[in-house]
Amino acid sequence: MRADRVFAYGAVAGLLGDLLLGDPRRGHPVAVFGRAAGAVERVLWRDHRGWGALYAVVCAGGVTALGALTARSVRTSPAASVALTGAATWAVVGGTSLAREARAIGRALEAGDVEGARARLPHLCGRDPQALDADGIARAVVESVAENTSDAVVGALVWGALGGVPGLLGFRAVNTLDAMVGHRSHRYRRFGWASARTDDLVGWPGARLTAVLAMLAGPNPRGAVRAWRTDAGKHPSPNAGPVEASFAGALGVRLGGTLSYAGRVEHRPVLNGEGRAVVAHDIERAVRLSRHVGLLALGVSVAGRFLTRGRIR
């Protein structure tokens, strides 16, 4: 069976698995990788970029190589190849869990349970919930939905189309390492540099595709284009900027501004300053937009893979 068909059938099966099952509460493959990467970090950590680069190669490179070897071992069996691609897709995408957590916070806010929303926010993002009021929580959720649509859905599909199972697993490994060590804390400023820069590189195509699809699927395409063009470059992240700006413009809301992470305050530029402030019901609108973007990304990725006409030999 041609590799394009393997990816198409496997990606559809994996997304259906995510839709029906979501993420398991225990033993998720990404969590297993995270624990293994934590163990490697304890051995390799030095306050040095070179050691951080070695760490990224060992962890992300090891997972990518394992994916390549496993895919090679089943290449003579179309059914096994499709099953492996489906399992890998299910393991690396997280659209259902993203929507579930966002909607739970949205329901709490709409019911007036701000403390309940604060308690759930750490399940979705790293903001300090105690520093946020109801509208601040809603804004944090919409920003997280936008960014994670790229990281947890679209980017994975793009790399699955480009690299099959190794691409799927390698992308998720890099993205996980960035979440673990890529932030600018005292401990990781040097050690996490390679992981953060690699994540910027591999996230580039998925972020731009996410921004384009949000423009096409959202209720205000012109607003998405305008916000992307004028505000994306102001964001400190080269990939979150286009995604969040496009979502902001498409939904007609303002994102960005003052943020707090574990007591550290950041003042980020406002995205789509012409929009209104985010409120609780915008969370459901963002989740629906994320779903539409994910489905469009599946179609684009499968179509792109067919254009390559790759074959399993």
Side-chain angles (χ1 to χ4, degrees):
M1 182 185 293
R2 292 203 310 260
D4 47 12
R5 292 183 178 178
V6 169
F7 173 71
Y9 299 152
V12 171
L15 286 187
L16 283 175
D18 177 63
L19 180 63
L20 296 174
L21 303 175
D23 293 336
R25 296 187 181 275
R26 296 182 179 179
H28 193 287
V30 175
V32 173
F33 169 78
R35 289 194 292 271
V40 175
E41 178 192 342
R42 289 191 289 273
V43 174
L44 294 183
W45 187 89
R46 306 288 190 282
D47 189 18
H48 190 275
R49 285 186 177 184
W51 283 92
L54 176 62
Y55 169 76
V57 169
V58 169
C59 294
V63 167
T64 304
L66 177 63
L69 290 173
T70 306
R72 184 179 179 84
S73 71
V74 300
R75 64 179 181 174
T76 58
S77 170
S81 295
V82 170
L84 177 63
T85 302
T89 302
W90 166 79
V92 303
V93 300
T96 295
S97 294
L98 173 64
R100 182 187 300 130
E101 291 298 333
R103 282 172 167 155
I105 297 171
R107 287 193 298 269
L109 290 175
E110 290 179 353
D113 183 10
V114 178
E115 288 303 318
R118 285 196 181 108
R120 292 199 71 101
L121 187 62
H123 294 267
L124 190 65
C125 65
R127 308 280 176 86
D128 180 2
Q130 300 307 315
L132 300 173
D133 60 10
D135 289 350
I137 294 171
R139 192 192 79 196
V141 172
V142 171
E143 290 172 353
S144 295
V145 168
E147 185 173 0
N148 283 294
T149 299
S150 176
D151 289 343
V153 182
V154 180
L157 291 173
V158 167
W159 280 99
L162 292 172
V165 171
L168 287 163
L169 300 185
F171 173 80
R172 175 53 65 206
V174 169
N175 190 250
T176 302
L177 292 180
D178 178 60
M180 293 176 64
V181 305
H183 40 90
R184 296 181 179 179
S185 66
H186 177 73
R187 176 177 175 85
Y188 296 125
R189 188 174 300 274
R190 294 184 180 87
F191 184 79
W193 180 86
S195 295
R197 297 292 77 75
T198 304
D199 184 66
D200 287 343
L201 178 64
V202 302
W204 196 95
R208 272 71 192 169
L209 179 59
T210 302
V212 169
L213 297 180
M215 175 192 68
L216 296 175
N220 188 352
R222 289 185 179 180
V225 172
R226 182 179 61 251
W228 183 3
R229 185 177 63 247
T230 60
D231 297 332
K234 302 173 184 177
H235 197 286
S237 168
N239 294 329
V243 173
E244 291 185 18
S246 186
F247 262 69
L251 296 172
V253 299
R254 293 193 306 273
L255 298 179
T258 301
L259 311 175
S260 178
Y261 291 91
R264 177 170 52 88
V265 176
E266 294 184 15
H267 300 284
R268 293 184 180 176
V270 172
L271 307 177
N272 192 39
E274 298 179 5
R276 58 173 174 78
V278 179
V279 294
H281 81 266
D282 290 314
I283 292 175
E284 179 60 31
R285 298 176 65 228
V287 169
R288 288 200 301 266
L289 179 56
S290 174
R291 288 289 198 192
H292 295 158
V293 168
L295 290 174
L296 288 173
L298 174 63
V300 170
S301 299
V302 168
R305 192 67 182 92
F306 269 95
L307 290 175
T308 67
R309 306 293 291 180
R311 295 177 179 275
I312 294 178
R313 300 183 186 281

